[in-house]
Amino acid sequence: MENFWLTSAIKALSYVYDLLTFPVYLVLQRPWEKRKLSRRIKARPVAKDENKITYRSVDPPKPMHVTLERENIDTLEKMLTWVAKVHNEKICLGTRDILAEEDEVQPNGRIFKKV
């Protein structure tokens, strides 16, 4: 019987908390705007075949996409090289010396290398 009262008290407190914070949530989060954005048309089909459909975004390209296209960056290696060139004055990437390598046998028989 003691658990029943405790559970009921917790439910009542959470209900009161929900009633008090719901208007604040509505004012700050504006969920209707997010719902409207999620329901909008984001892409349109441009080509249909028997086996595939190609979609094109309806949004204009963002500045970063335009820059990547202009610089002809289409692989991850080109991306990393370009980022290192653009942000060469910033400290953003580091390396470590390998001090030791150790094989660790797991209980299931697999071997992991610890570096």
Side-chain angles (χ1 to χ4, degrees):
M1 194 65 167
E2 194 173 291
N3 284 340
F4 173 74
W5 292 111
L6 180 64
T7 306
S8 297
I10 290 173
K11 284 182 181 180
L13 278 173
S14 69
Y15 181 72
V16 169
Y17 178 78
D18 282 346
L19 284 177
L20 293 175
T21 58
F22 187 67
V24 175
Y25 161 76
L26 287 177
V27 169
L28 294 178
Q29 297 293 322
R30 295 187 183 123
W32 59 89
E33 290 179 3
K34 292 180 183 175
R35 188 172 201 178
K36 186 172 76 174
L37 283 175
S38 72
R39 287 185 170 180
R40 70 183 167 80
I41 296 174
K42 299 172 192 84
R44 296 202 189 280
V46 292
K48 283 186 181 180
D49 267 350
E50 197 172 290
N51 298 326
K52 64 182 177 181
I53 300 175
T54 305
Y55 285 91
R56 182 77 55 196
S57 175
V58 296
D59 295 333
K62 304 280 192 263
M64 179 58 73
H65 184 245
V66 171
T67 304
L68 294 177
E69 287 290 325
R70 190 178 330 118
E71 298 288 332
N72 195 22
I73 297 171
D74 54 2
T75 64
L76 187 58
E77 188 270 330
K78 288 180 183 178
M79 169 69 82
L80 291 174
T81 304
W82 178 74
V83 168
K85 183 178 73 176
V86 169
H87 300 287
N88 63 354
E89 70 281 351
K90 296 181 181 177
I91 300 172
C92 63
L93 182 65
T95 61
R96 298 184 195 170
D97 293 330
I98 296 176
L99 302 176
E101 281 190 25
E102 183 180 320
D103 289 339
E104 181 180 307
V105 180
Q106 299 294 312
N108 62 1
R110 290 182 135 182
I111 298 174
F112 287 112
K113 279 202 182 288
K114 278 185 167 181
V115 180

